[in-house]
DNA sequence: GCGGTAATACTCGGATAAGTCTTGTCCGAGTCCTTATGG
DNA sequence: CCATAAGGACTCGGACAAGACTTATCCGAGTATTACCGC
């Protein structure tokens, strides 16, 4: 059981978008450069976030991505589901219906104990992620960094972000 | 994020082993036949359970597998870890150290907020599974089945299980 | 009849191939900005 | 000098390959059974 790498990158991207000035955007390429990951693949994750409605994309020159709603209203669960998909991780193949002692299909309307337990575990997993917002992530990151780094990031944003509708 | 199919099969196999009479064993082939899954692959999962110490294997003619300890002392978490491995599902690549604003390695002794949240979520996942034992699974399964099926299973066991040290 | 022994059949265990999903990449569609042009 | 329109450059979006892991399989190592032989 492994979570896609894209989840990590998408989460970090959201954290960076969260500290952008209002109305500014960052292109997928800039986000990839900031995190030093393959640009095309980062773009793919941003697409997933976009189609899930977590970020809005601005096309054309000086375009890019920005958060669709406040960082406190986006949880890691949202990011996880956007990138990873909503399909359950445990895929019950209904083996109880197989073999010489297989149960009748009519008796299998409820999931078996094993499947139910794994579904419950996954719900616990998602609930745990739902309790952490992008704002929380940003807060913990900034708490661990010093002023010098904050200034560095601000400078980088000034150089690489763009504000559609105006010249840089 | 997907859990291996083998986890499901291993769990069902444990449930079947749990209802065996004391001292009896079931071969990997018999377990595969009961659940109608590929014999060789089922054998692989049983190996994993064996090396994890959840079941004990008896080699030679009339050999097979039996639970290593009472069903109430084996949880789905144990089965999951045995088959899936104990490696964390979220693989932090420390992207915070990358790029133009990368943090120094010395400042990254603690996991970042994103990684910590995913680790916590996985702990919640495993804790949820730890609360369900094989005994619970058997109980829920037998509660959902009728007497006819129970007799069918008992007959099948009589025909396919073996008791080492004695003739069948 | 009984004990020992060798052959045998059956089991697990690890090493070895296909299939599928993740990972990584590319090029086309669409949009905004820039710039040239005419009034 | 200003409005307009065409051109260009930059962006996202989905379609397209390589790699890794899951899934599936095979054959060799080992052990209890079993039959046989000698006593």
């Amino acid at each position: 059981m492994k979570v896609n790498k894209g989840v990590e990158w998408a989460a970090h991207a959201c954290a960076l978008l969260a500290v952008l000035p209002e109305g500014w955007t960052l292109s997928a390429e800039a986000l990839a450069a900031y995190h030093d990951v393959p640009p095309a693949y980062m773009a793919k994750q941003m697409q997933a976030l976009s189609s899930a409605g977590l970020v809005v994309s601005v096309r054309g020159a000086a375009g890019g991505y920005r958060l669709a709603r406040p960082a406190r209203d986006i949880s890691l669960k949202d990011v996880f589901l956007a990138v990873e998909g909503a399909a359950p991780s445990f895929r019950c193949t209904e083996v109880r219906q197989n073999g010489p002692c297989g149960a009748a299909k009519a008796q299998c309307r409820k999931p078996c104990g094993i499947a139910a337990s794994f579904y419950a575990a996954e719900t616990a997993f998602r609930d745990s992620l739902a309790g952490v917002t992008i704002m929380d992530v940003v807060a913990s990151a900034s708490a661990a960094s010093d002023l010098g780094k904050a200034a560095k990031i601000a400078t980088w944003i000034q150089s690489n972000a763009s504000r559609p509708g105006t010249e840089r």
Side-chain angles (χ1 to χ4, degrees), chain A:
Chain A
M1 188 172 76
K2 300 186 314 180
V3 314
N4 287 5
K5 277 188 184 176
V7 173
E8 181 189 8
W9 300 352
H12 279 280
C14 285
L16 184 56
L17 292 178
V19 299
L20 279 186
E22 185 73 21
W24 288 58
T25 65
L26 270 174
S27 70
E29 191 176 12
L31 286 166
Y34 183 90
H35 298 107
D36 196 19
V37 296
Y41 196 35
M42 173 56 104
K44 195 179 180 65
Q45 313 311 326
M46 297 312 296
Q47 279 179 43
L49 293 180
S50 175
S51 58
L54 300 184
V55 303
V56 294
S57 65
V58 178
R59 305 189 73 157
Y65 295 97
R66 62 179 170 80
L67 292 185
R69 52 181 192 263
R72 65 173 301 156
D73 294 334
I74 299 178
S75 70
L76 287 183
K77 178 188 176 186
D78 296 327
V79 176
F80 177 83
L81 291 181
V83 175
E84 194 81 42
S89 60
F90 183 84
R91 301 158 289 166
C92 181
T93 55
E94 288 290 338
V95 292
R96 60 178 166 173
Q97 296 182 22
N98 295 351
C101 300
K105 196 169 183 179
Q107 296 182 338
C108 297
R109 299 188 55 188
K110 289 184 183 176
C112 71
I114 294 171
S117 301
F118 274 90
Y119 293 150
E122 184 161 27
T123 299
F125 180 86
R126 294 182 176 180
D127 286 349
S128 178
L129 289 181
V132 183
T133 69
I134 296 298
M135 197 182 70
D136 298 331
V137 170
V138 172
S140 72
S142 57
S145 71
D146 50 33
L147 283 176
K149 189 184 173 190
K152 212 168 171 182
I153 294 175
T155 304
W156 184 88
I157 288 177
Q158 288 290 333
S159 307
N160 295 89
S162 55
R163 182 151 56 126
T166 72
E167 72 283 1
R168 223 175 253 177

